[in-house]
Amino acid sequence: MWQDEIWGDGTARRYDTPGSGMFAPEVLGPAVDRLVALAGDGRALEFAIGTGRVGVPLAERGVPVAGIELSEPMLARLRTKAGPERIPVVVGDMSTATAPGRFSLVYLVYNTISNLTTQAGQVACFRNAARHLEPGGRFLIELWVPELRKLPPGQEATVWAVEAGYIGLDTYDTLNQHVVSHHFRFGAGAEAELGRSPHRYIWPAELDLMGQLAGFELESRHADFSGGEFTAESRSHVSVYRLAG
């Protein structure tokens, strides 16, 4: 499976970048602060917990954390930081796997719901979150906004990152609402390394409907974990859904 290649040993080895990128304090700090506040005195469950980028610092803040993770190489990296007695993890698909107990918070960060490449799978993810939550519990999703406004007629790709040694671009299949992210990494020479990942993009309004189908109501939506205003120009959003009850 393509997903096995994406989240295999190579990705797991390269994933952690302590102090920079996704692990930079200005990125990670506000996310953990927000999750601590939402969890309150309850337990938190992370769908696609990966190497523990968020789960480990959240547990260090005193929140009981559990996880669901499909990639065993990613989980092996997590286990170098926290054992199963500290952060129990169920190996499986976040749309179907079941973790023991009930939680006050389920969260899914860094666009990961889009790794489920069918609408049915994404709806199932919402329903799985609902099954794990106590009445009134919350489901937080961090997700990017599709940049289709950047696509003129006849163009199928957008460049979303140009940095030293890195170019990121997305190719869109607008008929099927699919996108493939292409990651080019290179040094001073002529050779470059290409990594790719498939996604199904979701508009915020469609995401809200998925929540409604699973018994959720949208509680808040911001542009980031610091609470910035979500506008038509926002490139991503942090949305919190509350389960009825």
Side-chain angles (χ1 to χ4, degrees):
M1 292 177 61
W2 198 3
Q3 293 286 4
D4 294 337
E5 296 177 20
I6 295 168
W7 305 112
D9 292 326
T11 299
R13 286 194 303 269
R14 295 189 302 267
Y15 194 81
D16 289 1
T17 55
S20 64
M22 295 185 298
F23 290 78
E26 64 271 20
V27 174
L28 194 51
V32 174
D33 288 345
R34 184 77 186 281
L35 294 170
V36 168
L38 288 171
D41 296 328
R43 304 169 65 220
L45 173 64
E46 181 171 358
F47 282 178
I49 194 169
T51 68
R53 178 181 73 96
V54 176
V56 170
L58 186 60
E60 289 172 347
R61 292 281 296 274
V63 177
V65 176
I68 292 174
E69 175 55 51
L70 185 63
S71 167
E72 297 203 44
M74 298 287 277
L75 178 55
R77 294 283 299 179
L78 168 60
R79 286 292 171 244
T80 67
K81 309 169 191 177
E85 70 289 340
R86 186 178 177 196
I87 301 181
V89 177
V90 172
V91 177
D93 188 313
M94 61 186 172
S95 65
T96 56
T98 301
R102 288 291 177 268
F103 301 83
S104 63
L105 173 67
V106 176
Y107 64 96
L108 181 52
V109 296
Y110 206 64
N111 308 321
T112 310
I113 193 171
S114 69
N115 291 131
L116 298 168
T117 55
T118 67
Q119 186 183 67
Q122 293 165 349
V123 171
C125 183
F126 267 91
R127 288 177 169 152
N128 199 30
R131 283 192 291 269
H132 283 91
L133 284 169
E134 301 166 346
R138 294 179 173 94
F139 184 30
L140 178 145
I141 295 180
E142 178 188 18
L143 185 61
W144 102 100
V145 178
E147 297 191 287
L148 295 188
R149 290 190 300 170
K150 292 184 177 180
L151 284 178
Q155 182 172 313
E156 297 180 356
T158 63
V159 177
W160 51 269
V162 179
E163 303 167 1
Y166 177 79
I167 295 174
L169 65 87
D170 288 336
T171 53
Y172 283 85
D173 173 0
T174 56
L175 182 63
N176 295 298
Q177 211 161 307
H178 286 167
V179 61
V180 177
S181 293
H182 305 258
H183 309 274
F184 297 90
R185 296 178 175 87
F186 49 88
E191 299 297 320
E193 176 185 321
L194 169 63
R196 297 184 298 156
S197 57
H199 306 268
R200 181 184 184 272
Y201 62 82
I202 315 169
W203 294 106
E206 183 187 9
L207 197 72
D208 295 347
L209 181 57
M210 291 179 180
Q212 292 176 32
L213 291 172
F216 289 100
E217 293 183 355
L218 179 67
E219 183 173 80
S220 67
R221 171 167 291 135
H222 294 98
D224 51 42
F225 277 104
S226 297
E229 182 185 3
F230 180 73
T231 72
E233 304 306 316
S234 298
R235 295 184 63 184
S236 62
H237 59 94
V238 175
S239 298
V240 177
Y241 297 89
R242 187 161 191 147
L243 187 66

